[in-house]
Amino acid sequence: MAETLLDPDEPSPVTLDNEAGGSIFFLTCDHAGRAIPRRLDRLGLPDHETRRHIAWDIGIGGVGRRLSQLLDAAVILQTYSRLVIDCNRDPKVPSSIPEISETTEIPGNLGLTKTARTARVNAIFRPYHDTIAAALDRRAAADRASVLVALHSFTPVFKGVSRPWHAAVLYNRDPRLAHPLFELLSAEDGLVVADNEPYRVTDLTDYTVPVHGERRSLPHVEIEIRQDQITEPVGQAIWAERLARLLPAAYREFLRQ
Ligand SMILES: [Zn+2]
């Protein structure tokens, strides 16, 4: 039997802004939000856990919105916490609804029934990805090219280990846009940039790039920014301005290949 997850007065799982923007770039923020459906009773977590990096990509929504304005690009943002369901992971992968994140047990995710898992897929995951697919279809139908830019942020310290990089450029099968962006970011004053670290794109750990980028053969790149860089609006603006300058330059390099 179907189970309802979201009440009618709760926020939509997806926001699509500036669809009519003229840019070739199409921005996604899979982990922009940290909302938890009322019915899930905060997943049994204390409030402070729902504000940490385990719940969302701190700062990335601000970067995505600002970058959308600067490039005049469409941006799609996910509203609900990745602890409810990770919108950058295939729902068939067990960690799509994590029982443990970093070292925090998620009580509301323990021993979920198939019905409860399906409710999260149907209420959050599916509408988010359907919105991306439909927007990309509309662009293709209008003969508009698209370059997919998947925006994420990572925690400065994970399981006690500090990350030295300010940002990372990630890819899997197609590095044609990622490589020039990596070179351009690495040439920025004072920036330490990772190439496919601390994560890389795979079919098991990612969904947006494999499904909407690789399968459509769209130029694409996944960008990770360290969260301490973009916690506040001033840092979000600095990163948005940097990416608004470097993404078009990287795309020009891509076209030369
Ligand atoms: Zn993320």
Side-chain angles (χ1 to χ4, degrees):
M1 203 180 81
E3 200 173 278
T4 305
L5 185 62
L6 296 174
D7 288 325
D9 66 324
E10 289 187 281
S12 162
V14 50
T15 302
L16 166 55
D17 276 347
N18 198 22
E19 185 178 8
S23 174
I24 194 169
F25 293 102
F26 185 93
L27 314 175
T28 59
C29 297
D30 300 337
H31 301 138
R34 57 175 201 85
I36 296 177
R38 189 184 293 135
R39 274 162 216 264
L40 297 182
D41 201 14
R42 221 165 52 209
L43 294 167
L45 291 168
D47 183 64
H48 70 92
E49 292 283 4
T50 71
R51 296 175 185 279
R52 295 200 316 122
H53 77 90
I54 60 170
W56 63 323
D57 280 359
I58 293 167
I60 206 63
V63 174
R65 285 192 179 86
R66 184 89 190 104
L67 183 58
S68 156
Q69 293 167 355
L70 293 172
L71 291 171
D72 193 25
V75 61
I76 293 210
L77 306 113
Q78 215 288 125
T79 309
Y80 289 90
S81 170
R82 69 162 138 242
L83 297 177
V84 178
I85 185 163
D86 189 334
C87 280
N88 192 30
R89 202 151 290 199
D90 191 311
K92 291 199 279 286
V93 178
S95 58
S96 122
I97 301 177
E99 295 193 341
I100 292 178
S101 184
E102 196 172 12
T103 56
T104 300
E105 190 176 82
I106 317 301
N109 290 348
L110 299 178
L112 282 192
T113 63
K114 191 162 186 300
T115 311
R117 297 184 77 89
T118 303
R120 296 195 195 181
V121 173
N122 290 343
I124 294 171
F125 182 91
R126 198 55 62 201
Y128 176 69
H129 286 289
D130 286 352
T131 302
I132 295 176
L136 290 173
D137 285 347
R138 284 191 293 273
R139 292 168 72 99
D143 259 340
R144 289 192 58 192
S146 299
V147 175
L148 177 68
V149 178
L151 297 166
H152 292 267
S153 69
F154 64 96
T155 180
V157 181
F158 187 74
K159 292 185 176 172
V161 178
S162 292
R163 272 101 173 247
W165 315 284
H166 299 100
V169 175
L170 314 184
Y171 50 90
N172 185 13
R173 297 174 179 89
D174 179 1
R176 287 176 301 157
L177 181 62
H179 279 167
L181 183 64
F182 172 77
E183 296 298 330
L184 288 162
L185 279 169
S186 298
E188 293 279 292
D189 232 9
L191 275 197
V192 180
V193 185
D195 179 347
N196 259 354
E197 291 184 275
Y199 309 107
R200 49 170 303 151
V201 174
T202 73
D203 293 336
L204 289 182
T205 55
D206 291 80
Y207 191 87
T208 297
V209 161
V211 170
H212 303 296
E214 291 179 345
R215 281 192 210 161
R216 286 174 185 260
S217 300
L218 297 182
H220 59 265
V221 62
E222 186 164 320
I223 301 169
E224 293 260 9
I225 305 169
R226 203 176 65 200
Q227 284 163 4
D228 58 307
Q229 307 270 296
I230 55 171
T231 306
E232 302 298 330
V234 60
Q236 294 166 12
I238 288 169
W239 266 98
E241 281 155 27
R242 179 177 285 138
L243 292 175
R245 184 162 48 81
L246 299 186
L247 276 168
Y251 184 61
R252 284 194 292 275
E253 291 298 316
F254 166 91
L255 291 175
R256 266 202 272 272
Q257 292 168 46

